Amino acid sequence: MAKNNDFREFEFLRQLTETPGIPGREERIRELILAETKGLWDETRVDAMGNLICLKRATRKSRGGQPKKVMLACHMDEIGFYVRFIDENGFLRLQNAGGFDTRNLFARNVLVQGKEDVVGVLNPAGKPIHLSTPEERNKIPEIKDFYVDLFMPKKQVEKLVEVGDPVTLVQQTRMIGDCISGKCMDNRVAVWVGINALRQVYGHDLITGEAKARGRGAVGSPYDIYFVASVQEEVGLRGATTAAYSVEPDVGIAIDTTLACDTPGVGKDEAVTEIGKGVAIKVMDSASISHRGLFEEFVALAKKKRIAHQREILPRGGTDAGAVQRARAGTKAITLSIPTRYVHTATESLNRKDAKAGVDLLAAWLAG
Ligand SMILES: [Zn+2]
C-alpha cells in the first residue's frame, strides 16, 4: 500500500502535466504515453488527426459471443496559444486555442516551442500599477492585448520563433497536502486514470507499469478496450469525433476533469462537485446527457465496491462524450469526472483520492 506521503504513483501525471501539448500539437504527449505504456497494448495506431488509439483485446469470454468494444476517451490536449504575430520590437502576439479567462494570464511564464524551446514572460499591454489610472486598472484585457516578452531584439526572435509556433503556460506540478496542483490536470489526469485502470485490470504495476509475475492480480476484461488519447478536445471535441467514427464503439466512456467550486465566493448549490468526495459520475453537461442505463450501472457498481463517488451536473461545458455519443448511428456514452478546483488556470488542483477512485471505478467496470 502507498504511504500517505507517497506520491510515486503520480510521477507519470507530473510528467504529463509539465509537458506541453496544445490542440493540434499533441505530439510530445503522444510520445510520452507510448514510452510509458510499452507492453500494455495489443495494437497502437495514430490516425490522421493525431489521435493515439491503443487496443487491449478481451482476455475473457463475454456473454453472447463477440466481445463488445469500449472506447475510453481521454483528451490529451491542453488550452494554450499559437504565435499570431511578431511585432517590430520582437514581442509575440497570440491566438488562443481553448478558453482562457484572461484575468488568470497576468505575469506568467510561458514556453514557446520554436526552433528550440524558449521561456518568456506573458503580460497584457499597458502600464503597471505605479502609472495607471483607476479606469485603466479596471479594464479586463482581451487575449489580443497580451504579449510574450522574450527579451531579445526582433532579429534574434525571428531566428527562433515563427508564426504558428505553440505557446503554453509554464508551471511546476506540486503535491500540496492530499492534492496535486499544476497546469492542465485538464486533462492529463484522465490519461493517467485511463492507463492506470487498464494496468489494474491487467495486473501491471501502477508505479513501474511492468507486468507482475505470472499475471498476478490480473482479472482481465471481456471487452475490447480502445484507450484513445484524443486531440483537439478543447477547441470542440474534434479528435474524439473522428476516433469514435473509426473505432465504432458499443460504449464510450469519456474521462475528464469537472468544476469543483467548493471554494469562497460560490454558493453550495453552484459548486458542481467537491474535491475529496470521490469520482464524479456525470448526469449531464451542455454537450451530452449520459446514457441512463450506464449511469445507473456506474452508480450501483460504486456503491457495491464502496468507491467514493458523487453525482455531477455541469451547467456549461462538455466532454468527448458529446462527440462519441453522436458518432455514426449513436453510441451509449457517459463521462467520469475528476473534481478539480481552478479549472483552466495554471493552478488546476485535484485530490489524489478522487483520481484513485476514478481508477478503481473504471477498472471495476472494465473487469465486467
Ligand atoms: Zn477537459
Side-chain angles (χ1 to χ4, degrees):
M1 268 326 253
K3 278 198 232 79
N4 211 33
N5 59 355
D6 185 354
F7 280 96
R8 278 179 305 164
E9 283 183 14
F10 292 92
E11 173 54 23
F12 179 42
L13 179 58
R14 186 191 64 74
Q15 289 174 27
L16 285 166
T17 50
E18 290 181 0
T19 303
I22 65 166
R25 292 298 301 272
E26 297 88 350
E27 65 275 5
R28 291 191 194 182
I29 305 298
R30 201 162 47 228
E31 292 311 313
L32 189 57
I33 295 169
L34 279 169
E36 173 74 16
T37 58
K38 261 196 196 113
L40 186 57
W41 316 113
D42 293 310
E43 274 172 37
T44 64
R45 68 174 196 268
V46 178
D47 75 7
M49 283 195 72
N51 293 301
L52 172 61
I53 302 174
C54 305
L55 167 61
K56 182 74 185 168
R57 283 190 204 287
T59 50
R60 297 207 327 264
K61 272 237 152 62
S62 54
R63 277 160 287 180
Q66 281 294 94
K68 283 205 160 64
K69 290 196 265 184
V70 175
M71 172 171 156
L72 307 179
C74 307
H75 78 81
M76 62 173 157
D77 58 316
E78 72 186 276
I79 55 173
F81 311 90
Y82 282 94
V83 174
R84 174 174 60 79
F85 179 69
I86 304 171
D87 79 12
E88 64 277 17
N89 297 313
F91 295 116
L92 313 180
R93 297 302 173 115
L94 306 173
Q95 170 67 43
N96 62 305
F100 280 104
D101 181 341
T102 54
R103 292 173 300 175
N104 300 315
L105 290 177
F106 289 68
R108 287 279 167 198
N109 282 133
V110 290
L111 179 81
V112 183
Q113 291 170 248
K115 291 212 172 55
E116 54 193 67
D117 286 358
V118 227
V119 173
V121 170
L122 179 69
N123 267 308
K127 301 169 196 161
I129 188 162
H130 320 69
L131 308 176
S132 54
T133 63
E135 298 82 74
E136 282 172 329
R137 284 201 291 278
N138 284 334
K139 203 181 144 250
I140 297 171
E142 296 170 48
I143 298 280
K144 68 174 174 53
D145 300 322
F146 282 82
Y147 64 91
V148 177
D149 192 347
L150 294 176
F151 308 99
M152 286 182 237
K154 183 181 169 84
K155 270 210 162 138
Q156 214 177 325
V157 170
E158 282 178 333
K159 280 187 194 147
L160 285 171
V161 181
E162 289 179 295
V163 168
D165 287 345
V167 179
T168 47
L169 299 177
V170 172
Q171 182 76 15
Q172 198 189 344
T173 296
R174 291 170 199 283
M175 311 302 172
I176 307 174
D178 258 340
C179 285
I180 305 165
S181 179
K183 76 168 176 74
C184 68
M185 293 296 153
D186 175 12
N187 196 24
R188 306 287 155 70
V189 70
V191 172
W192 184 91
V193 166
I195 287 168
N196 277 316
L198 257 300
R199 284 175 172 170
Q200 200 151 300
V201 170
Y202 281 97
H204 287 234
D205 189 89
L206 296 194
I207 294 169
T208 65
E210 268 155 39
K212 289 178 192 156
R214 294 185 296 278
R216 201 154 48 87
V219 288
S221 172
Y223 305 119
D224 281 348
I225 303 168
Y226 291 79
F227 167 85
V228 178
S230 58
V231 296
Q232 300 190 34
E233 191 269 357
E234 296 288 358
V235 288
L237 322 181
R238 296 178 193 172
T241 303
T242 62
Y245 191 91
S246 75
V247 168
E248 219 179 332
D250 298 289
V251 171
I253 304 169
I255 303 149
D256 212 318
T257 54
T258 191
L259 299 185
C261 303
D262 53 341
T263 48
V266 188
K268 272 209 155 203
D269 61 317
E270 289 188 297
V272 184
T273 61
E274 293 175 63
I275 64 168
K277 297 271 172 78
V279 57
I281 304 171
K282 194 182 295 268
V283 177
M284 67 174 289
D285 57 30
S286 58
S288 70
I289 297 168
S290 299
H291 182 269
R292 187 67 197 181
L294 272 178
F295 176 82
E296 283 169 7
E297 255 178 58
F298 272 100
V299 170
L301 187 60
K303 283 183 182 160
K304 188 175 152 208
K305 301 273 182 188
R306 297 173 188 274
I307 298 166
H309 63 286
Q310 45 194 320
R311 294 171 178 225
E312 178 209 343
I313 290 184
L314 180 67
R316 203 150 57 97
T319 75
D320 277 341
V324 177
Q325 188 169 54
R326 280 173 271 184
R328 290 184 180 264
T331 306
K332 291 182 186 177
I334 189 167
T335 302
L336 299 180
S337 316
I338 309 302
T340 305
R341 286 185 186 165
Y342 321 119
V343 169
H344 286 199
T345 77
T347 55
E348 293 181 336
S349 308
L350 56 92
N351 190 305
R352 60 173 168 169
K353 290 180 198 156
D354 299 338
K356 292 277 286 176
V359 171
D360 290 343
L361 183 57
L362 183 59
W365 191 88
L366 291 173

